[in-house]
Structure formats: structure tokens, C-alpha cells
Amino acid sequence: MEPTLNNPLRRSVMKGLLGTTSFWVASGNAHWAEALAAEAAQPYQPAFFNAAEYQFLESACERLFPADHNGPGARALGVAEFLDRQMQTPYALGENWYMSGPFEQGPANLGYQLPFVPKDLYRKGIAGVEHYARQQYGKGFAALSALQQDEILTALEGGSVQLGDIPGRVFFEQLRTNTLEGAFADPLYGGNRGLGGWVMLGFPGARADFMDWVNQEGASYPIGPVSISGETA
Amino acid sequence: MVKHVDAIIVGAGWAGSIMAKELTEAGLSVVMLERGAERTTPVEGAYPESIDELRGAIRKRLFQNLSQSTLTIRNTMDQTALPYRQLAAFLPGEGVGGAGLHWSGVHFRVAPEDLRLRSAIIERYGEKFIPEGMNLQDYGVSYDELEPFFDKAEKVFGTAGEAYKVQGKIVGDGNVFSPDRSDNFPLPAMKDTFSASVFRDAAKNAGYHPYSLPAANASRQYTNTYGCQMGPCNFCGYCSGYDCYLYSKASPNVNILPVLRQDPRFSLIPNAHVLRVDLDSTKTKATGVTYLDTKTRKETSLSADLIILGAFQFHNVHLMLMSGIGKPYDPVSNTGTVGRNFVYQTITSSRVWLPPSTYTNQFVGAGGAGVAIDDFNSMNFDHGPLGFVGGSPVWVNQAGVKPIAAALGAGGGGTPRWGSAYKDSLVNTYKHSLGIDAHGSNMAYRDVYLDLDPTWKDAYGQPLLRMTFTWKDNDIRMNQYVVSKIEPIARAMGATKMNLVHLNAGQPFDTRTYQTTHLGGGAIMGENPQTSAINRYLQSWDVSNVFVIGSNAFPQGMGYNPTGMVAALAYWAAHHIRATYLKSPGPLVKA
Ligand SMILES: Cc1cc2nc3c(=O)[nH]c(=O)nc-3n(C[C@H](O)[C@H](O)[C@H](O)COP(=O)(O)OP(=O)(O)OC[C@H]3O[C@@H](n4cnc5c(N)ncnc54)[C@H](O)[C@@H]3O)c2cc1C
Ligand code: SF4
């Protein structure tokens, strides 16, 4: 599949989505796959997260989605890069969340009621986890053993830890959600490198044509994935 | 100067677009106001950028932008309702086409007895069978009256299906519980995905009556009654929550608006958020509407002889409350009608794992395709010994499962939600399992309703709508009963493992996980102005030049998906407006 690179509509859509990160400005009219390859050659420079925060994400996301016999983990898939890029989109500002006060807390089943948008949750949440890690183990999160990191993540998930004004569970769910997005979203967002997430699941990506595969009596789909930019694996 | 047109339509979804088409055909000048943006399939559906799960169903690009307006939700009247801040449980539409642009396309008619459920229950089981506090009501319209309009809608939507009975003759292997039809489906049924075919065989062997879901996904190329064209669906799997890149899924944008836009009597104004319907001093006649241009924040008033609300179920109720159309419902005194009988739908999704040599290829799918049984829907089984009202179809409706959604949903219920063990189960579940849904009715109750919130406001300064809703014992027991019927079918499918999911006693409605966008009631149709907000022609009892079209008209939530019924009700109302109302405007039913 050959993307139609001079289609002005697509370019404006992409800009709207990704803002004016250097990658997209630099890419200009270049072939997306080439641009992605060039990008992969040099390490990604985070623009939203500082070095320590980025290091936290690299280690925490890898525990949530570790490399194993199933396939690559969050680090190899570029999940931290995905997260950093997402923090530069309107999503980070809670673009389609209702964020008018008052903010009253209620039963969990009535949903999210905090005055924080995703970028606040990350800034405060990471600082909170680092603080908790030092308190409990005397070291920053990234310096802990995998076992200790898992203990912290389990505590956050279980709801026993408060991270300043953010419940640990809220931060955990935000991180889990975005980590899985980064593992499986189209690689144009910076994660799912080499389509590794899709290969793991046998998901064909943007093929979107199964005319002959509606029912093949339980056989496994034979064609590998393709991304929006035309990358295959 | 206030501009005047013959008719104003609020909302550019299915309800609004059908009404606009009908009224322009009748020679009226029509302005359709849509709060969201302009949307067309060549732009929103363009390949490959529309084939993007993150931008689509995950970031929820095509749905209502809650930052501008939302509602508040509580389970019981003694709670403080809190804002629905993040889209999850239901996903209302916004923009031209409404939710009709990104729905799935399961296109049902109605189970005839659902239209007269109160009468049917009393005839069979006596009035005492109806639990205390349940507001069970008839629609005031019969299947036979609506049949020509179901037929008309199917021919506009290009609906694919297999009929059972046409003009009294059995013609095919369709749903044996479905009523007689005047004509066949315009297109043959969609093919069964592998998972649907396994379900079909197992259900048949278990003695049930499987049928192909009627789907407004084109099984072949089709040109509809308006001359609009659809291409064949290729089961691309980016269906629910997406604009169809192949013009195969029926939408107002593909099936109606291309011809409407060419009609000089019609104009469509996007980014026009209607604030209220303006009434004259008697409060019995609407003079027009006032809307806000969401780009310039300028208010404009338009005058019209006829106003159609097609803003979607709860937005219609909100507009009625904001405008003073009809009397707001008060659950304490049990008076008033606007906001009364708010209903939803029960849905639980169970999962069945097939052997590891079998691949379910869940990414293959079409929103409307699948195989269902109706053996436990509507009045098709004996409720006597069971002691509940209502029922559920059960189906495999593989609409295309994409990896982020699969990953977010995997794990939980005692199994890991992250780490290596989670990855094992995610991969196994994605490759080898399939889902079976019980998609059932939800009854109306005296203390389940809609009104205005006392605290929170939308971006335009209007109070948010407040929803008081939870699951009730009758509906929980119905769901549990129907889910128990899935187990033998799953066994017959060769399940190596199954996870049967049902509602639990006392479980409150949870706003955090997607259920359906099949909200109903709140401004219901009926024969008695004391217990319904609109008459059997969907005309306001109180302000006779206002018609309120949508699932707000349903007195209770049914097992079927609502849009086929909404479309038929729109054509039904339009027919009576054209045949009677326009000749002599006024109430079509004496109060
Ligand atoms: C993901 C998804 C899948 C679905 N699948 C199915 C299915 O398979 N089968 C089925 O039967 N149904 C399905 N539905 C439900 C279906 O989409 C709705 O029943 C149907 O679209 C309702 O049509 P409507 O015209 O009443 O409302 P809508 O389509 O919601 O249109 C109403 C329009 O009014 C506009 N509006 C609201 N308020 C104002 C205002 N104040 N001023 C101006 N404009 C306003 C809205 O922006 C919207 O565009 C699905 C819904 C979703 C979200
Ligand atoms: S599954 Fe079919 S109807 Fe649905 S979006 Fe894809 S091609 Fe269109």
C-alpha cells in the first residue's frame, strides 16, 4: 500500500493531531516510513518529561508490559516516547473531558471527579511515586529491583497508596491505559515500534479488508500487519 | 430581523435527516441546526487515516465533546449527582450525521408485543405481575401501523438480512419470532464470521432458533430509494465508532444528506447549538428557536411554523426542560411527564475460549453482522414461573476487535491486569476467544428519571441534565436468567474455558465502562397526556407545533437496538405531519 503523500488533507490532519513537534515539521513531504526510520536511528529526545521522569516511565512501563516469550515489552516498543508525544497533544489537556467545578468526590462507579488533566496526573503522579519509592526503599523507582518495582505498582493498583492529592490507583490506571495504547496504537504515534505489538497479537493493522477472510473455519490469518504509513512486519 | 422558515430541525442525525427529507419533499423550507461540525465520509472516512484505533474509538474523535456539555449522574435520589466527565458508559454523537455516522448498524424492527408490553403482560399474567414502582406502558402504536415505515427505512438504509415471513408466507431461514413483513430485506444477509457460524450451529443443536442479525452494512453494492449509493462491506473491522471508508455502513451522511444537500429548500447550519425552543406567551405554541454559533458565540433567533427536535434522546429532554415544553416530571408527587420513564438497556458480554488450534480472528468483523437467538427476548418465553418482565436477545456480533480495546479489557476479575501473565492471557484471548452478548431490556421505574441539575452548568451557562439511574432487581434477574442459557451453547461450541458475565444483585450502574448508547425514554409517547410527553404521532401534547423524534419516545428499553425503531417512528410521524398536520396544524390527538 502506497500512502498518498501529497494529499493536503492528510497533512493538515496529522499536524492537528501531533502539533508542531520537530519530527513532523522536519518530515515535510518525506516518505513517512523513511522519516520514521530516520527518527528511530537517533534516540528520541523527550520534550514534555524531564530526564528523571522519562527514566521512571521507561522502567515502570516495562514492568507493566515486560518483554517476554510473547514478544517485545514497553521499552522496545517505544511506549515512553509515545507517552511524551501524547503529552504534547490536546489529549494531555483533557480536551474532551468536562473540567468545570465544583469537584466533589463520590462513589467510584460515578467516575473520575478530580480537577486534573492527564499532564497533571503524570507530573504529580511520577513525583508522588518517586517520593514513595524513596520512603519505602531509599532509592528512586528506576534504581529498584524488578521485584520492588512490582511491589510498588501492586500497591498503587490496590489503592493503598495516596500520591499527594492523587490517589495512587488513579495514577496507576492512567499509566496502564496509556502504556497499552503505546504498545498497540499505530506506530505513527511513536509506540508499537516495528509493529511489534501487532505481530504479538496477530493483528493485521490497517489492512481493513477481509472480504475473503470472513470465515476461514478457524485458520490463522496469514498476512502480517501494515501501518498507516505503509510499514509492514 | 428574525428570519423565518417553514420548519426547523434540531440535530443532524438519523431522526433529523429523515424528517428533513420528508418535510422538503412536502415542499417546506427546512433549516437543520447541528451543534457539531460538518462531517462527510470522503473526509472523515478517508483511508488509511480513518483506520486508526487511537484517534478513533480510543480518543473518541467523533463523539460528543464533553468539555462543552455533559450530564450529571447518580444512582439514587438521595445521592448528589456528579458530572459524567469522561466518555465511557455511553457515547453520544456530535456533528453532521450524529451517532449515525459512527454507529454499528444492527438494524432491527421491533418485537410487536414490546409495543404493548403492559397490555401483553396483564393479558398473560395479570396486573399483579408488574412489580411495585415499575411504570410499564404501551407505546400507543401497533406493529401493523408501523410496518410500512420499517419497510421504507430498510430500503433507505440498505439493510441486509434474511426474512422469515413475507406477506404471510414463510420465505427463508430468518427469525421465527419476527413478525410478518410486507417485503423482503433489500439485501441478502451478511455472511457469518467464523465465530458467528460456530454460535449458529451450537444454538441450533441446542434447540434454539438462530438468525442473521439484520445489518445496515451493505452485503452488496446498493442504490437506495433516494438514489444514494453504498459499496459492499468487506468486514474491515473499523466499524463501531468509525466512519465507514467504503460507504457500506448506512449513515445520514451517505444515505440521505447527499440528496438533501442539493435541495434548494434545505439548508444545514453546523456549529449551531440550539439553546431553546422559543414559545409564545400562551406556552402552547412555539415561535422558533434560539441558537448559539459555537465559533463566534453569537446568539441568533430563527422563526418557524414547525419545530422538530431530533437532538437525541436525552438532549431532546434537556431542550424540552430548557424551553418549558410540557410539565417536568416529579417522582415524589408522581406528576409531570418530561423526564419520566428514563430507560437504558442491560448488556453483559461473556467470553468463550476455543482450542488453541482455532483462531477467531476477532479483528475481522462488521458492526451489524452476527447471529442471534430471540428465544429469550420479549414475550417469546414463559415469564410466569420466572417472575420478571422483559428479555434479551443473545448473540455473537463480532464487530471487529482492535488491539488497544482488547488490551485495556483483558485481565481483571482475579487475573493479572499487567505483567507477563497478563500478556499470556491477552494473546490467548485475542487469538482464540469470542464474545457472546446478552443485550436486553430495561424497564422504567418511578424513581429513575431525568431532570435539571442544581449545580453544574454547560459551557453556555445552562444547567446540565441530571440522570438518576441504576439497575433494578427485575432487570438484574432477567439478565441472570438469560446468561444462564449461554452456558450450554458455549459448551456445544467446544469451549475450553468460559467466563459468563451477568449483572449482580444490588450492582449499581457504573459510568466507567462502555455498555451501549441505547438510552431511551424521558419524553415518551403514549395515549394519556398524564403519563406521556408526546402523543402517538410524537407530537408534544402541550405545544402542538413541536414534534420530538428519537428513542426518548420509548416507554421502556427493549432488547433490540433502537435505531430501526427510531427511523420507523420518524417516518411514521412524518407521514402524519404530511397527510394531516400540514393541512390543518394543531393537535393530531385530542388531549
Ligand atoms: C458506538 C455506537 C454504536 C451504535 N450501534 C448501534 C447499532 O448497531 N444499532 C442501533 O440500532 N443503534 C446503535 N447505536 C445507537 C444509534 O447511534 C442511535 O440510536 C442513533 O444514532 C440515534 O439517532 P438520533 O438521530 O436520534 O440521534 P443522534 O444521532 O445522536 O443525532 C442527534 C444530533 O443532534 C445534535 N444535537 C444535540 N443537541 C443539540 C442542540 N442543542 N443543538 C443542535 N444540535 C444538537 C447532536 O450533536 C447530534 O449530531 C450506536 C451508538 C454508538 C455510539
Ligand atoms: S465493517 Fe463494513 S460497514 Fe463497517 S466500517 Fe468496515 S466496511 Fe464499513
Side-chain angles (χ1 to χ4, degrees):
Chain A
M1 181 205 64
E2 197 59 30
T4 52
L5 289 163
N6 294 317
N7 174 350
L9 165 74
R10 165 194 281 152
R11 280 210 310 276
S12 67
V13 168
M14 302 319 308
K15 268 214 180 124
L17 274 168
L18 293 169
T20 49
T21 62
S22 55
F23 168 65
W24 290 105
V25 172
S27 76
N29 282 338
H31 191 291
W32 289 12
E34 281 164 25
L36 280 164
E39 176 79 1
Q42 25 177 294
Y44 175 74
Q45 291 303 317
F48 174 80
F49 294 111
N50 65 33
E53 288 169 330
Y54 201 68
Q55 208 185 7
F56 165 84
L57 290 174
E58 292 266 22
S59 6
C61 298
E62 181 68 16
R63 293 317 303 153
L64 294 177
F65 201 80
D68 65 5
H69 63 275
N70 291 297
R75 199 184 295 266
L77 291 170
V79 166
E81 176 182 336
F82 167 85
L83 277 166
D84 191 69
R85 288 192 189 278
Q86 285 296 298
M87 288 304 111
Q88 298 163 63
T89 68
Y91 166 71
L93 305 171
E95 167 190 44
N96 60 7
W97 294 3
Y98 178 76
M99 289 305 286
S100 301
F103 290 88
E104 286 180 25
Q105 301 313 300
N109 68 297
L110 296 184
Y112 185 77
Q113 299 296 335
L114 295 173
F116 307 119
V117 298
K119 76 176 178 46
D120 305 331
L121 291 173
Y122 277 101
R123 276 270 131 79
K124 289 166 177 275
I126 296 175
V129 181
E130 289 295 3
H131 179 76
Y132 177 78
R134 277 176 221 289
Q135 222 176 32
Q136 298 291 314
Y137 301 94
K139 285 189 210 161
F141 187 89
L144 299 177
S145 71
L147 205 69
Q148 291 167 324
Q149 292 176 339
D150 285 359
E151 280 171 12
I152 294 182
L153 291 167
T154 304
L156 294 174
E157 183 186 26
S160 61
V161 181
Q162 182 74 22
L163 307 171
D165 40 18
I166 294 176
R169 186 190 305 210
V170 170
F171 176 65
F172 176 88
E173 292 302 332
Q174 183 72 33
L175 186 64
R176 176 183 184 268
T177 297
N178 295 145
T179 298
L180 297 174
E181 289 169 0
F184 295 114
D186 191 282
L188 81 90
Y189 299 100
N192 190 14
R193 275 193 200 140
L195 315 185
W198 291 350
V199 170
M200 208 176 332
L201 291 184
F203 176 68
R207 295 220 173 268
D209 177 7
F210 305 110
M211 209 56 142
D212 307 324
W213 268 82
V214 178
N215 182 2
Q216 290 284 353
E217 301 295 342
S220 151
Y221 184 73
I223 309 173
V226 62
S227 75
I228 289 175
S229 75
E231 183 185 357
T232 53
Chain B
M1 199 190 78
V2 177
K3 272 198 274 177
H4 184 86
V5 287
D6 295 330
I8 292 172
I9 295 181
V10 184
W14 279 120
S17 302
I18 288 171
M19 296 305 289
K21 182 75 181 77
E22 287 282 315
L23 296 181
T24 50
E25 275 178 19
L28 270 54
S29 59
V30 173
V31 167
M32 183 151 81
L33 300 167
E34 165 57 48
R35 73 179 161 178
E38 179 60 281
R39 276 181 184 152
T40 62
T41 292
V43 176
E44 310 301 338
Y47 184 90
E49 46 272 350
S50 67
I51 306 299
D52 181 343
E53 186 187 12
L54 187 75
R55 183 172 78 130
I58 299 299
R59 293 285 176 267
K60 308 190 163 58
R61 186 174 73 94
L62 295 175
F63 307 132
Q64 181 179 347
N65 184 346
L66 296 189
S67 72
Q68 300 303 296
S69 90
T70 184
L71 31 67
T72 64
I73 305 179
R74 60 181 178 177
N75 296 126
T76 52
M77 287 172 62
D78 57 6
Q79 281 181 315
T80 301
L82 297 174
Y84 179 58
R85 296 185 182 276
Q86 300 175 339
L87 285 171
F90 48 87
L91 305 169
E94 184 168 290
V96 172
L101 184 66
H102 54 68
W103 68 318
S104 309
V106 176
H107 184 187
F108 274 110
R109 293 188 168 195
V110 70
E113 294 204 289
D114 281 357
L115 293 176
R116 50 185 301 279
L117 197 56
R118 181 181 179 83
S119 301
I121 287 283
I122 292 174
E123 279 162 23
R124 258 194 247 179
Y125 307 116
E127 193 157 359
K128 283 216 191 74
F129 196 79
I130 303 170
E132 173 67 30
M134 184 190 286
N135 285 346
L136 196 60
Q137 282 180 222
D138 295 348
Y139 279 67
V141 65
S142 71
Y143 174 76
D144 288 343
E145 288 173 306
L146 291 181
E147 201 286 333
F149 306 101
F150 281 117
D151 181 64
K152 185 167 179 171
E154 286 169 356
K155 288 171 176 160
V156 171
F157 284 53
T159 305
E162 173 145 26
Y164 176 61
K165 229 192 277 169
V166 174
Q167 301 197 13
K169 270 209 349 243
I170 295 176
V171 295
D173 194 20
N175 179 8
V176 299
F177 298 103
S178 66
D180 198 23
R181 308 166 53 92
S182 58
D183 198 357
N184 221 314
F185 286 98
L187 289 176
M190 296 285 281
K191 286 191 249 174
D192 289 355
T193 57
F194 172 64
S195 55
S197 75
V198 173
F199 178 79
R200 185 188 290 276
D201 292 343
K204 196 172 260 165
N205 290 339
Y208 301 130
H209 301 86
Y211 63 91
S212 300
L213 284 175
N217 306 142
S219 55
R220 284 183 193 160
Q221 174 190 323
Y222 181 68
T223 303
N224 80 1
T225 31
Y226 299 143
C228 299
Q229 295 180 329
M230 302 170 83
C233 163
N234 71 2
F235 287 71
C236 83
Y238 287 81
C239 206
S240 224
Y242 298 79
D243 185 355
C244 172
Y245 82 103
L246 289 176
Y247 299 73
S248 311
K249 179 168 67 179
S251 65
N253 315 59
V254 166
N255 297 55
I256 301 179
L257 290 169
V259 284
L260 251 184
R261 289 180 196 270
Q262 288 167 24
D263 192 320
R265 286 162 298 199
F266 173 76
S267 45
L268 165 58
I269 309 180
N271 306 308
H273 183 96
V274 174
L275 296 169
R276 64 181 169 273
V277 176
D278 299 313
L279 304 183
D280 74 2
S281 57
T282 68
K283 304 281 176 208
T284 58
K285 187 168 180 282
T287 56
V289 308
T290 298
Y291 71 91
L292 190 79
D293 180 321
T294 56
K295 297 275 180 228
T296 62
R297 297 274 156 157
K298 211 180 107 219
E299 271 189 32
T300 304
S301 292
L302 270 182
S303 88
D305 301 318
L306 178 61
I307 314 284
I308 308 288
L309 299 185
F312 185 59
Q313 181 265 336
F314 69 83
H315 299 303
N316 281 343
V317 174
H318 189 237
L319 277 168
M320 291 174 83
L321 291 170
M322 290 313 304
S323 312
I325 299 172
K327 190 166 171 228
Y329 173 64
D330 173 5
V332 178
S333 61
N334 204 10
T335 56
T337 55
V338 182
R340 187 174 179 278
N341 276 39
F342 168 67
V343 291
Y344 197 15
Q345 197 160 47
T346 53
I347 182 168
T348 52
S349 299
S350 297
R351 194 146 283 280
V352 170
W353 283 261
L354 299 180
S357 56
T358 306
Y359 290 79
T360 48
N361 296 324
Q362 295 183 78
F363 47 85
V364 176
V371 171
I373 58 167
D374 260 12
D375 298 72
F376 305 104
N377 188 30
S378 188
M379 297 291 282
N380 303 344
F381 58 111
D382 186 7
H383 293 70
L386 302 169
F388 59 73
V389 180
S392 289
V394 173
W395 62 51
V396 168
N397 164 223
Q398 186 168 300
V401 182
K402 287 162 291 298
I404 301 175
L408 294 176
T415 68
R417 296 176 64 239
W418 51 281
S420 197
Y422 157 80
K423 279 179 80 181
D424 289 345
S425 88
L426 167 62
V427 171
N428 177 40
T429 300
Y430 194 71
K431 290 185 173 173
H432 308 296
S433 77
L434 57 92
I436 304 184
D437 305 324
H439 183 279
S441 60
N442 169 236
M443 295 301 133
Y445 302 91
R446 179 166 164 178
D447 58 356
V448 168
Y449 64 104
L450 302 172
D451 66 353
L452 293 175
D453 190 86
T455 308
W456 282 276
K457 301 214 160 23
D458 64 21
Y460 321 114
Q462 293 190 320
L464 297 186
L465 192 70
R466 174 170 68 178
M467 174 191 293
T468 304
F469 176 79
T470 199
W471 303 119
K472 299 274 193 177
D473 179 63
N474 174 84
D475 305 283
I476 292 171
R477 286 189 296 114
M478 180 281 292
N479 170 265
Q480 291 178 342
Y481 173 74
V482 177
V483 171
S484 75
K485 300 294 177 189
I486 293 175
E487 182 171 347
I489 302 176
R491 280 193 198 293
M493 289 168 89
T496 56
K497 192 174 102 177
M498 63 181 99
N499 181 18
L500 297 179
V501 178
H502 55 74
L503 296 174
N504 291 310
Q507 176 179 335
F509 168 56
D510 192 325
T511 66
R512 295 170 300 174
T513 45
Y514 187 67
Q515 285 145 77
T516 70
T517 310
H518 305 161
L519 306 161
I524 67 171
M525 60 193 292
E527 287 167 310
N528 179 351
Q530 302 305 315
T531 54
S532 58
I534 53 181
N535 66 26
R536 73 191 217 103
Y537 304 108
L538 293 91
Q539 178 183 39
S540 161
W541 286 110
D542 303 273
V543 182
S544 65
N545 62 338
V546 173
F547 287 73
V548 189
I549 315 291
S551 54
N552 55 271
F554 302 0
Q556 45 270 332
M558 52 189 177
Y560 285 165
N561 314 49
T563 310
M565 181 68 184
V566 169
L569 286 175
Y571 280 118
W572 154 262
H575 173 79
H576 290 281
I577 291 172
R578 292 175 70 170
T580 312
Y581 177 89
L582 291 179
K583 291 180 184 133
S584 113
L588 290 169
V589 181
K590 287 231 155 51

